[in-house]
Amino acid sequence: MAETLKKLDELVALCKRRGFIFQSSDIYGGLASCYDYGPLGVELKRNVKNQWWKSVVQMRDDMVGLDCSILMHPMVWKASGHVDKFADLIAECKKCNTRTRVDHLKGAEGEETTHHSHAEVSENNLVSKICPNCGAKGQFTKPMPFKLMFETQMGANAEDSMTLYLRPETAQGIFANFRNVLDTTRIKVPFGIAQMGKSFRNEVTTKAFIFRTREFEQMEIEFFCKPGTDEQWYEHWKEQRLNWYTDLGIRPENLRLRKHEDDELAHYAKGCVDIEYKFPFGQGDWQELEGIANRTDYDLRQHQRGMRSMTKWFEAKRDTLKTPLLGEDEEYQKGPLSYFDDEAKERYIPYVIEPSAGADRGTLAFLVDAYAEEEVRGEKRSVLRFDPRLAPIKVGVFPLVKKEGMPEKAHAIYNDLRKGFPCFYDEKGAVGRRYRRQDEAGTPFCVTVDGQTSEDNTVTVRERDSMDQIRINSDQVVHYLREKLQM
Ligand code: ATP
C-alpha cells in the first residue's frame, strides 16, 4: 500500500538529500527563509513555470507575455497604494515579545484563522487569541502596521540618490506597460498580459520550507475586459486555473476554492477566491496556492491618477505642461490608460481579473502531492510520481553491467534521447538501486541495456509508478518514449 506524505519533514529531507532544495548560505549556517534550488529542483521549478507559460500564453490567442525590471519608478508603488497601505497588522505578545501577524492568530479552541488582515482590529479583538510562541492568552499589544516592502538606494551620491523598492508583486509592471502593449501589438480587449519573476516581501512570519519566504517567484496574469463582462471572465479564470493544477497531476481532493468573506476583500475588489491546497502542516492545513481577484478598474485608474500627479509636479517645477491636465470625468474616459473600442466606438477603462500564483508554492504542492512511500518486495521505496511534463529527468539510461559492450550501447541510446529531453546516464552499483534513485528523483522511465540486447537488439523500458518492464527494439526507444512523454 502506498502512503502519501504525512509530515513535511520527510519531504524536506528528501529535497536536501537528492538536491532539489537547499537552505540558502548553508556553508555559513544558513539564512532564514531563503532557499536555493539544486540540480533537480531547478529543473522541476522551471518545468512548473514553463507549463504555466505554455497554458496561459502559448496556447491562447488572447494573451501576451512580459518581463519587466524588478526595480521600478517609486511612483508605481505610490499610485498602486503599496507605499501607504502594503503592511500586515502585527501584535506583540507582552509576555514573550514575539510579534505575530494578527490574521494568523488562533483562538483557544483552535478556532479557524481569521482572515481580516486589512480590516481594523483593536486589542479587544485579540482577548481570546493565543500567542503561538509562549501560549499566553490575550496578552497582545495594540495591533500596528508592519511595512512589507524592502527598500534600497539607487545612485552613489547623497543628493541624487533615490529610495527604490524591491517589487512585492509582479502585477504592477503589467499595469505600467498596459499602454505599451496596446500600442505595439494588435491585441484587443478582452486580452491578458502574463508575467513571471521574483518578488520580495519582508514577511513578518515565514512558514514551512518554501511556502512563505521573503524572496519568491510569482506567476501573474492581468486579464483586461470590458466592464460588465468581468463576472464571466472571473468564472472563466477560476475554472482554467483550477484545471491547470489537476491536469498536471494534483489530486482534486487536495484542492478547493475558498471565496473571500466581505470583510476580507480589499475595498476596490468585487470578488476574490483562493485556490487552496491541503498542505501537510499540522493536521492538514488548507492554505492559499493562488488568488484570483476581480480588481475592477482600480489599478489602471490609480496609475492614471499617478501620471497626472507627476504632470502637476512638472508644472510646478518647469512652468510648462507636457500633457494637458484632465479633469476627473475626462480622465476616466479619455486618460492615457483608457481603451478605445473600434467596433463599439466607445472608450472605457478596462476591468481586470487577476490570477496570481506562486511558483515556489506551486512547486511545493507538486512535490507534496507526488510524494509516496511504499513497500516493494520487502524494501521501502520513496517515489515522486510527477506528471512526466514536470519531472526534472525524463529518462534514466543504464547498462546492466559495465562490460560486454553494454556501456557503449547504453551511451548511444542516451545520446539519442538527450537531444529531445533531459536524461541521466548511470552505470554505478546494482541496477535495483539505480531504479530507486530515479524513483526518488521522479524520473518516469528507465531504459536498461542487458545481455539480451546484443542478441536481439531489445532493451528494457521500466515505468516508474507500476514498475512494469517491457522489452522493445532499441531503434524504437526514442519514438516510444516521445509518445509516452508527449514530447
Ligand atoms: P499569504 O497571505 O499566504 O502571505 P497573500 O495573500 O499575501 O499570501 P498574494 O498577495 O495574493 O498572497 O500573492 C499571490 C501569490 O503569490 C500567493 O497565492 C502565493 O502563491 C504567492 N506568494 C505570496 N507571498 C509569498 C511568499 N511570501 N512566499 C511564497 N509565495 C508567496
Coordinates of all heavy atoms in Angstrom, one line a residue, residues 86 101 103-104 169 201 203 210-218 220 274 287-291 356-362, ligand 1:
F86 N 0.6 48.9 2.0 CA 1.1 47.5 2.0 C 1.8 47.1 3.2 O 3.0 47.2 3.4 CB 2.0 47.2 0.8 CG 2.2 45.8 0.5 CD1 1.1 44.9 0.3 CD2 3.5 45.2 0.4 CE1 1.3 43.6 0.0 CE2 3.7 43.9 0.1 CZ 2.6 43.1 -0.1
R101 N 1.5 38.0 13.0 CA 0.5 38.6 12.1 C -0.9 38.4 12.7 O -1.2 37.2 13.1 CB 0.5 37.9 10.7 CG 1.1 38.8 9.7 CD 1.4 38.0 8.4 NE 0.1 37.8 7.6 CZ 0.1 37.3 6.4 NH1 1.3 37.0 5.8 NH2 -1.0 37.2 5.8
D103 N -3.8 38.3 11.5 CA -4.6 37.3 10.8 C -4.2 35.9 10.9 O -4.8 35.0 10.4 CB -4.8 37.7 9.3 CG -3.5 37.6 8.5 OD1 -2.4 38.0 9.1 OD2 -3.5 37.2 7.4
H104 N -3.0 35.7 11.5 CA -2.6 34.3 11.8 C -2.8 33.8 13.2 O -2.5 32.7 13.5 CB -1.1 34.2 11.5 CG -0.8 34.2 10.0 ND1 0.5 34.4 9.5 CD2 -1.6 34.1 8.9 CE1 0.5 34.4 8.2 NE2 -0.8 34.2 7.8
E169 N 5.3 42.5 -5.8 CA 4.5 41.7 -6.7 C 4.9 42.0 -8.1 O 5.5 43.1 -8.4 CB 3.0 42.0 -6.5 CG 2.6 43.4 -6.8 CD 1.1 43.7 -6.7 OE1 0.4 43.1 -5.8 OE2 0.6 44.5 -7.5
R201 N 9.1 40.3 -0.2 CA 8.3 40.9 0.9 C 9.0 40.6 2.2 O 9.3 39.5 2.5 CB 6.9 40.2 0.9 CG 6.1 40.5 -0.3 CD 4.7 39.9 -0.2 NE 4.0 40.0 -1.5 CZ 2.8 39.5 -1.8 NH1 2.2 38.9 -0.9 NH2 2.3 39.7 -3.0
E203 N 8.3 39.6 5.0 CA 7.2 38.9 5.7 C 7.5 38.9 7.2 O 8.7 38.7 7.6 CB 7.1 37.5 5.3 CG 6.8 37.3 3.8 CD 5.3 37.5 3.5 OE1 4.5 37.8 4.4 OE2 4.9 37.3 2.3
I210 N 9.5 26.3 1.6 CA 9.4 27.3 0.6 C 8.0 27.8 0.5 O 7.7 28.6 -0.4 CB 9.9 26.8 -0.8 CG1 9.1 25.5 -1.1 CG2 11.4 26.5 -0.8 CD1 9.3 25.1 -2.6
F211 N 7.1 27.6 1.5 CA 5.7 28.0 1.4 C 5.6 29.5 1.5 O 5.0 30.2 0.7 CB 4.9 27.4 2.5 CG 3.4 27.9 2.5 CD1 2.5 27.3 1.6 CD2 3.0 28.9 3.3 CE1 1.2 27.8 1.5 CE2 1.7 29.4 3.2 CZ 0.8 28.8 2.3
R212 N 6.2 30.1 2.5 CA 6.2 31.6 2.6 C 7.6 32.0 2.9 O 8.1 31.8 4.0 CB 5.2 32.1 3.7 CG 5.2 33.6 3.7 CD 4.3 34.3 4.7 NE 2.9 33.9 4.4 CZ 2.2 33.1 5.2 NH1 2.7 32.6 6.3 NH2 0.9 32.8 4.9
T213 N 8.2 32.7 2.0 CA 9.6 33.2 2.1 C 9.7 34.7 1.8 O 8.7 35.2 1.4 CB 10.5 32.4 1.1 OG1 9.9 32.5 -0.2 CG2 10.7 30.9 1.5
R214 N 10.8 35.3 2.0 CA 10.9 36.7 1.8 C 11.3 37.1 0.4 O 11.1 38.2 -0.1 CB 11.9 37.4 2.8 CG 11.4 37.2 4.2 CD 12.1 38.0 5.2 NE 11.4 37.9 6.5 CZ 11.8 37.1 7.5 NH1 12.8 36.3 7.4 NH2 11.1 37.0 8.6
E215 N 11.8 36.1 -0.3 CA 12.1 36.2 -1.8 C 11.4 35.1 -2.4 O 11.6 33.9 -2.0 CB 13.6 36.2 -2.0 CG 14.0 36.2 -3.4 CD 15.5 36.1 -3.6 OE1 16.3 36.4 -2.7 OE2 15.9 35.8 -4.7
F216 N 10.6 35.3 -3.5 CA 9.9 34.2 -4.1 C 9.5 34.6 -5.5 O 9.7 35.7 -5.9 CB 8.6 33.9 -3.3 CG 7.7 35.1 -3.0 CD1 6.6 35.3 -3.9 CD2 8.0 36.0 -2.0 CE1 5.8 36.5 -3.6 CE2 7.2 37.1 -1.8 CZ 6.1 37.3 -2.6
E217 N 9.0 33.6 -6.2 CA 8.7 33.9 -7.6 C 7.2 33.8 -7.8 O 6.5 32.9 -7.3 CB 9.4 32.9 -8.6 CG 10.5 33.5 -9.2 CD 11.2 32.6 -10.3 OE1 11.8 31.7 -9.9 OE2 11.0 32.9 -11.5
Q218 N 6.6 34.8 -8.6 CA 5.2 34.8 -8.8 C 5.0 34.5 -10.3 O 5.8 34.7 -11.2 CB 4.6 36.1 -8.5 CG 4.6 36.4 -7.0 CD 3.8 37.6 -6.6 OE1 4.2 38.7 -7.1 NE2 2.8 37.5 -5.8
E220 N 1.9 35.7 -12.7 CA 0.7 36.6 -12.6 C 0.1 36.9 -13.9 O 0.9 37.1 -14.9 CB 1.0 37.8 -11.8 CG 1.4 37.6 -10.3 CD 1.3 38.8 -9.5 OE1 2.2 39.7 -9.7 OE2 0.5 38.9 -8.6
D274 N -9.5 32.1 -3.3 CA -8.2 31.5 -3.3 C -8.3 30.0 -3.8 O -9.3 29.3 -3.4 CB -7.6 31.5 -1.9 CG -7.2 32.8 -1.4 OD1 -7.0 33.7 -2.3 OD2 -7.1 33.0 -0.2
Q287 N -4.3 25.9 2.6 CA -3.5 27.1 2.5 C -3.6 27.6 1.1 O -3.6 26.8 0.1 CB -2.1 26.9 2.9 CG -1.8 26.6 4.4 CD -1.9 27.9 5.2 OE1 -1.8 29.0 4.7 NE2 -1.9 27.7 6.5
E288 N -3.5 28.9 0.9 CA -3.6 29.5 -0.4 C -2.4 29.1 -1.3 O -1.2 29.2 -0.9 CB -3.6 31.1 -0.3 CG -3.4 31.8 -1.6 CD -3.4 33.3 -1.4 OE1 -3.9 33.8 -0.3 OE2 -3.0 34.0 -2.4
L289 N -2.8 28.7 -2.5 CA -1.8 28.4 -3.6 C -1.8 29.6 -4.6 O -0.8 30.0 -5.1 CB -2.2 27.2 -4.4 CG -1.7 25.9 -4.2 CD1 -2.2 25.0 -5.3 CD2 -0.2 25.9 -4.2
E290 N -3.0 30.1 -4.8 CA -3.1 31.1 -5.8 C -4.4 32.0 -5.5 O -5.4 31.4 -5.0 CB -3.3 30.4 -7.2 CG -3.8 31.3 -8.3 CD -3.5 30.7 -9.7 OE1 -2.9 29.6 -9.8 OE2 -4.0 31.3 -10.7
G291 N -4.3 33.3 -5.8 CA -5.5 34.1 -5.6 C -6.1 34.5 -6.9 O -5.3 34.9 -7.8
S356 N -3.2 35.2 -9.6 CA -1.9 35.4 -9.1 C -1.4 34.2 -8.3 O -1.9 33.9 -7.3 CB -1.9 36.7 -8.2 OG -0.7 36.8 -7.5
A357 N -0.4 33.5 -8.9 CA 0.1 32.3 -8.3 C 1.6 32.4 -7.9 O 2.3 33.3 -8.4 CB 0.0 31.2 -9.4
G358 N 2.0 31.5 -7.0 CA 3.4 31.5 -6.6 C 4.1 30.3 -7.2 O 3.6 29.2 -7.1
A359 N 5.2 30.5 -7.9 CA 5.9 29.4 -8.5 C 6.5 28.5 -7.4 O 6.5 27.3 -7.6 CB 7.0 29.9 -9.4
D360 N 7.0 29.0 -6.3 CA 7.6 28.2 -5.3 C 6.5 27.4 -4.5 O 6.7 26.2 -4.2 CB 8.4 29.1 -4.3 CG 9.3 30.0 -5.0 OD1 8.9 31.1 -5.4 OD2 10.5 29.6 -5.3
R361 N 5.5 28.1 -4.2 CA 4.4 27.5 -3.5 C 3.7 26.4 -4.4 O 3.4 25.3 -3.9 CB 3.3 28.5 -3.2 CG 2.8 28.4 -1.8 CD 1.9 29.5 -1.4 NE 2.5 30.4 -0.5 CZ 1.7 31.4 0.1 NH1 0.4 31.5 -0.1 NH2 2.3 32.2 0.9
G362 N 3.6 26.6 -5.7 CA 3.1 25.6 -6.6 C 4.1 24.4 -6.6 O 3.6 23.3 -6.6
Ligands
ATP1 P1 -0.2 35.0 2.3 O1 -1.4 35.5 3.0 O2 -0.1 33.5 2.3 O3 1.1 35.6 2.7 P2 -1.0 36.7 0.1 O4 -2.5 36.5 0.1 O5 -0.4 37.9 0.6 O6 -0.3 35.4 0.7 P3 -0.9 37.4 -2.7 O7 -0.5 38.8 -2.5 O8 -2.3 37.0 -3.1 O9 -0.5 36.5 -1.4 O10 0.1 36.7 -3.7 C1 -0.2 35.8 -4.7 C2 0.5 34.5 -4.7 O11 1.9 34.7 -4.5 C3 0.1 33.7 -3.4 O12 -1.0 32.9 -3.7 C4 1.4 32.8 -3.2 O13 1.3 31.7 -4.1 C5 2.5 33.7 -3.7 N1 3.1 34.3 -2.5 C6 2.8 35.5 -1.9 N2 3.6 35.7 -0.9 C7 4.5 34.7 -0.9 C8 5.6 34.4 0.0 N3 6.0 35.2 1.0 N4 6.3 33.3 -0.3 C9 6.0 32.5 -1.3 N5 4.9 32.7 -2.1 C10 4.2 33.8 -1.9

